[in-house]
């Protein structure tokens, strides 16, 4: 998730004067920023420094990431003609990402590197709305009102995600995460009809590495998200992991799900809640401890370090 880096002074220092998307295409910066949380916290895996909209930008869509806002698209995509104009992603357009991954795999010396892409629905929301949205109203209006155009758009974004993930897997990432952060705004019935086939196609295209499938507020969607072809389902903090385990069914591992706000509480409360997450995670076929969404920017790096150490101590030998 948009993560650890944001709360670190060393991150803010290397990003000074460099735009977000520009930094994602500089192998030196991608490498340094990906390594920062690994060095400081000793986490068990690294997440590639990039963004879900990077491949869309690299393919030629006029968009930017505005500080304090998020992705902003110059010409929103709202008609069949707009969709037809969307470019596809050629591997050379993200060559700097592949270069960074190859260097990182060496530098990480065995610590797994997780690559990622945005899922068709979440990417579509930025393109259709033109920027971040709370209700995704225009996206849903397109989906409900013009199903053919919706499927054409989601299909093109699935192609971009597949191309981007293929580059990452070929360059050496150990696992991939598909971020459908905003899928939780849909009912299960609509998710299954409009979104699942596209996300399934993306996940099935990378079946040679473990696949993590994550969204926020997805209590009603967990079984469907697992059925899309995920080895691991990421869960936000709203659903207890033992309840999530019974929803995703046997053989699917879980990732999550400490409330990112919990790290602002006194340490005893953080520890108690982390212990509860670990206990409930035992109900799943496997468990990757994580926050339930990204690290909040004002989080105290010392508390995060203490949390990583605590999880290591609690799970030592297991
Ligand atoms: O090191 C890291 O931070 C990890 C790399 C990473 C990842 C995995 C970034 C860098 N972005 C992402 C994925 C991402 N980007 C998601 C999916 C995960 C999630 O739900 O958090 C989403 C929804 C985005 C879109 C995005 N990019 C937003 C959200 C806007 C909204 O709709 O609310 C924002 C604020 C960004 C910018 C961004 N991307 C990454 C960082 C560190 C930042 C902050 C901006 C900056 O530092 O300039």
């Amino acid at each position: 998730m948009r993560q650890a880096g944001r709360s670190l002074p060393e991150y803010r220092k290397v990003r000074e004067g460099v735009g977000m998307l520009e930094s994602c295409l500089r192998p030196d910066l991608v490498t340094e920023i990906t390594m920062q949380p690994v060095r400081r916290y000793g986490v068990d895996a690294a997440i590639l420094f990039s963004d879900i909209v990077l491949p869309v930008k690299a393919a030629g869509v006029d968009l930017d990431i505005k500080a304090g806002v998020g992705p902003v698209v110059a010409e929103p995509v709202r008609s069949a003609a707009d969709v037809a104009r969307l470019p596809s992603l050629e591997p050379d357009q993200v060559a700097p990402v592949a270069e960074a991954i190859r260097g990182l795999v060496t530098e990480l010396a065995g610590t797994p590197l997780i690559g990622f892409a945005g899922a068709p629905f979440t990417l579509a929301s930025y393109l259709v709305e033109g920027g971040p949205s709370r209700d995704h109203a225009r996206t849903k209006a397109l989906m409900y009102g013009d199903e053919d155009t919706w499927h054409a758009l989601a299909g093109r974004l699935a192609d971009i995600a597949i191309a981007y993930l293929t580059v990452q897997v070929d360059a050496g990432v150990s696992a991939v995460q598909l971020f459908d952060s905003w899928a939780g705004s849909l009912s299960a019935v609509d998710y299954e009809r409009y979104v699942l086939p596209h996300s399934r196609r993306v996940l099935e295209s990378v079946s040679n590495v473990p696949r993590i499938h994550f969204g926020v507020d997805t209590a009603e969607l967990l079984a469907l998200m697992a059925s899309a072809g995920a080895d691991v389902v990421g869960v936000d903090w709203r659903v207890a992991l033992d309840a999530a385990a019974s929803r995703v069914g046997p053989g699917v591992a879980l990732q999550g799900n400490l409330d990112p706000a919990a790290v602002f509480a006194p340490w005893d409360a953080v520890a108690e809640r982390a212990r509860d997450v670990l206990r409930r995670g035992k109900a799943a076929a496997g468990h990757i401890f994580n926050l339930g969404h990204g690290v909040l920017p004002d989080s105290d790096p010392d508390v995060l370090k203490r949390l990583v150490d605590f999880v290591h101590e609690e799970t030592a030998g297991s």
Side-chain angles (χ1 to χ4, degrees):
M1 274 154 277
R2 289 166 287 131
Q3 278 263 15
R6 291 192 295 163
S7 58
L8 295 179
E10 57 267 34
Y11 169 72
R12 290 193 283 265
K13 185 147 180 282
V14 295
R15 278 287 317 285
E16 243 166 56
V18 191
M20 176 64 200
L21 290 169
E22 186 191 340
S23 63
C24 294
L25 289 170
R26 284 199 24 202
D28 58 331
L29 286 181
V30 173
T31 305
E32 168 59 21
I33 297 170
T34 300
M35 290 304 295
Q36 284 175 347
V38 180
R39 276 189 217 120
R40 192 188 263 253
Y41 300 126
V43 283
D44 301 308
I47 180 123
L48 179 71
F49 180 74
S50 189
D51 193 83
I52 57 167
V53 297
L54 186 271
V56 182
K57 165 82 175 184
V61 174
D62 186 356
L63 66 82
D64 199 7
I65 292 186
K66 292 223 159 57
V69 180
V72 177
V73 178
E75 290 172 30
V77 175
R78 293 183 185 155
S79 67
D82 295 340
V83 173
R85 275 195 295 275
L86 278 179
S88 52
L89 178 70
E90 301 303 327
D92 324 345
Q93 292 170 316
V94 286
V97 177
E99 184 186 332
I101 291 170
R102 287 191 295 268
L104 275 163
V105 170
T106 309
E107 192 160 341
L108 283 161
T111 297
L113 176 62
I114 305 173
F116 69 89
F121 175 75
T122 292
L123 286 179
S125 170
Y126 289 111
L127 290 180
V128 176
E129 306 292 335
S133 162
R134 275 176 78 86
D135 47 29
H136 313 280
R138 287 192 154 99
T139 313
K140 291 183 181 183
L142 174 69
M143 187 184 258
Y144 303 151
D146 185 353
E147 186 160 0
D148 289 347
T149 300
W150 165 258
H151 284 300
L153 172 60
R156 283 182 166 247
L157 294 172
D159 290 339
I160 289 180
I162 290 168
Y164 191 46
L165 290 176
T166 303
V167 164
Q168 295 175 58
V169 171
D170 289 347
V173 298
S174 304
V176 296
Q177 179 147 347
L178 187 65
F179 285 111
D180 209 352
S181 301
W182 314 136
S185 70
L186 296 169
S187 71
V189 170
D190 288 332
Y191 178 84
E192 191 168 14
R193 171 166 167 186
Y194 298 104
V195 175
L196 179 68
H198 303 286
S199 294
R200 175 176 286 145
R201 190 158 70 82
V202 177
L203 288 166
E204 284 179 349
S205 77
V206 287
S207 54
N208 47 341
V209 293
R211 296 153 298 177
I212 309 166
H213 196 184
F214 171 81
V216 181
D217 221 344
T218 53
E220 296 296 323
L221 306 183
L222 291 171
L224 291 169
M225 290 180 73
S227 79
D231 303 292
V232 183
V233 172
V235 183
D236 80 3
W237 63 93
R238 294 173 179 87
V239 183
L241 290 184
D242 46 352
S246 64
R247 290 180 205 178
V248 297
V252 178
L254 296 177
Q255 173 184 272
N257 73 346
L258 186 73
D259 185 340
V263 302
F264 292 84
W267 173 253
D268 285 352
V270 183
E272 186 189 320
R273 302 184 80 89
R275 202 178 277 123
D276 187 60
V277 169
L278 290 170
R279 186 176 62 75
R280 292 178 191 274
K282 289 201 174 88
H287 176 212
I288 302 167
F289 183 92
N290 197 356
L291 301 186
H293 199 186
V295 172
L296 296 168
D298 292 334
S299 302
D300 179 348
D302 293 337
V303 177
L304 295 177
K305 169 73 181 140
R306 199 168 171 185
L307 176 61
V308 173
D309 291 345
F310 178 79
V311 171
H312 280 154
E313 283 155 21
E314 291 285 312
T315 55
S318 70

